[in-house]
Amino acid sequence: MTAQDQLADIEALKQLMARYERYGDTHNWAEFAKLFTEDAVFSYEAMPRAARDAPQSATIEGRDAFIGGMGEMLKGVQTSHDIYLPDITITGPATATATWALHDLVRLPTVVFNGYGHIHQDYIKAGGQWKIAKSHTSRLFVDEQWL
């Protein structure tokens, strides 16, 4: 793999994450789903929740379960995600990892959630397209303003 190929893949992963942020915040679930492998795994520390006694962490297995849950939880909810400062490593011709800095604001009817942390992801390139195979969101801290 040439340095030029690696740079092209790094740029493609940046574009993937730009779509990730945009499709998620605009609730374009059909396009959002295309960014993941079918068997993708998602895990969260200190995630937005509708009630104080709801779990703060979760693991979700499978793209369809993830998209279905996101679509249901975020109906009528405003979100804004800032994803930046990528640390991307191309680990092979069809694999990569990255860590992204993250700030997210989620306005649920019961709470305004501000999260600060990182997204750690594993990617697979299939059919010339990069897809997210594993995503873990870790938090440095959160601010929950209960309404």
Side-chain angles (χ1 to χ4, degrees), residues 18-81:
R19 291 189 299 275
Y20 173 95
E21 182 278 327
R22 184 174 69 250
Y23 296 150
D25 284 341
T26 60
H27 302 185
N28 185 342
W29 305 124
E31 291 300 315
F32 193 63
K34 294 176 185 177
L35 306 178
F36 307 98
T37 62
E38 194 172 309
D39 61 348
V41 176
F42 308 86
S43 59
Y44 295 88
E45 298 172 22
M47 65 185 185
R49 55 202 175 125
R52 287 179 196 255
D53 60 346
Q56 291 185 318
S57 61
T59 298
I60 303 149
E61 296 187 13
R63 175 190 63 210
D64 294 342
F66 174 68
I67 299 297
M70 290 285 284
E72 190 60 35
M73 181 181 137
L74 296 179
K75 277 185 185 171
V77 171
Q78 294 176 320
T79 65
S80 177
H81 289 76

Side-chain angles (χ1 to χ4, degrees), residues 58-115:
T59 298
I60 303 149
E61 296 187 13
R63 175 190 63 210
D64 294 342
F66 174 68
I67 299 297
M70 290 285 284
E72 190 60 35
M73 181 181 137
L74 296 179
K75 277 185 185 171
V77 171
Q78 294 176 320
T79 65
S80 177
H81 289 76
D82 296 316
I83 302 168
Y84 50 98
L85 300 173
D87 181 4
I88 301 170
T89 303
I90 306 300
T91 56
T95 58
T97 62
T99 299
W100 303 80
L102 166 70
H103 169 246
D104 53 344
L105 171 66
V106 180
R107 294 180 182 209
L108 294 162
T110 55
V111 66
V112 177
F113 176 93
N114 267 289

Side-chain angles (χ1 to χ4, degrees), residues 1-7 9 90-95 125 130:
M1 179 174 243
T2 68
Q4 186 174 10
D5 291 336
Q6 283 193 344
L7 289 174
D9 282 335
I90 306 300
T91 56
T95 58
K125 191 175 190 180
W130 286 102

